[in-house]
Amino acid sequence: MPLTKQATVVFRVAIGNPVRPLDTDLIFWGEPGRDGIRRSYEFRPAWSRTLKKAGIEGLRFHDLRHEAVSRLVEVGLGDQEVSAISGHKSMQMLKRYTHLRAEDLVERLDQVIG
């Protein structure tokens, strides 16, 4: 997945964080389980608390991917570019996530055709 320059900087800082345990290459790490294996941080409890505090119901974390794909298309990225960013393996799956608004299409046509 391609990352912006800013995201790359943030991840490099996270990897170099002196608090990060030496026994993992994870950026978002959790505590070792009963088996002693350290796995990735479980974000669902924090996600649920955040939604509850904000008064938001029914929003899944995955919905953010759907929204991002739609916004990338709206700003003019092509299908192949969006697919490379989102990780969709087929154009058919990408199109399931992309919801173009009629008014956006009219505006785009007016720009192109005049």
Side-chain angles (χ1 to χ4, degrees), residues 2-40:
L3 297 173
T4 63
K5 291 177 184 175
Q6 182 179 357
T8 302
V9 168
V10 169
F11 280 119
R12 284 195 177 127
V13 169
I15 289 170
N17 187 328
V19 177
R20 187 167 154 262
L22 298 176
D23 65 345
T24 184
D25 58 356
L26 297 170
I27 293 175
F28 304 105
W29 67 88
E31 294 301 317
R34 290 185 181 139
D35 59 3
I37 297 174
R38 186 180 299 277
R39 292 179 179 79
S40 59

Side-chain angles (χ1 to χ4, degrees), residues 35-79:
D35 59 3
I37 297 174
R38 186 180 299 277
R39 292 179 179 79
S40 59
Y41 174 76
E42 179 55 59
F43 76 94
R44 286 183 196 100
W47 177 255
S48 296
R49 284 191 307 272
T50 302
L51 292 178
K52 186 175 182 177
K53 186 176 180 179
I56 299 171
E57 293 183 16
L59 180 65
R60 298 168 301 163
F61 188 77
H62 187 77
D63 295 335
L64 301 176
R65 180 185 193 207
H66 186 106
E67 182 68 17
V69 166
S70 295
R71 296 293 92 55
L72 291 172
V73 170
E74 282 181 9
V75 298
L77 269 67
D79 287 349

Side-chain angles (χ1 to χ4, degrees), residues 1 21 25 27 38 50 68 79-80 86 93-95 107:
M1 166 181 244
D25 58 356
I27 293 175
R38 186 180 299 277
T50 302
D79 287 349
Q80 288 184 335
S86 67
M93 281 303 296
L94 178 65
K95 291 192 184 310
E107 185 177 326

Side-chain angles (χ1 to χ4, degrees), residues 75-91:
V75 298
L77 269 67
D79 287 349
Q80 288 184 335
E81 293 169 312
V82 174
S83 176
I85 293 167
S86 67
H88 289 100
K89 303 251 187 281
S90 72
M91 290 300 140

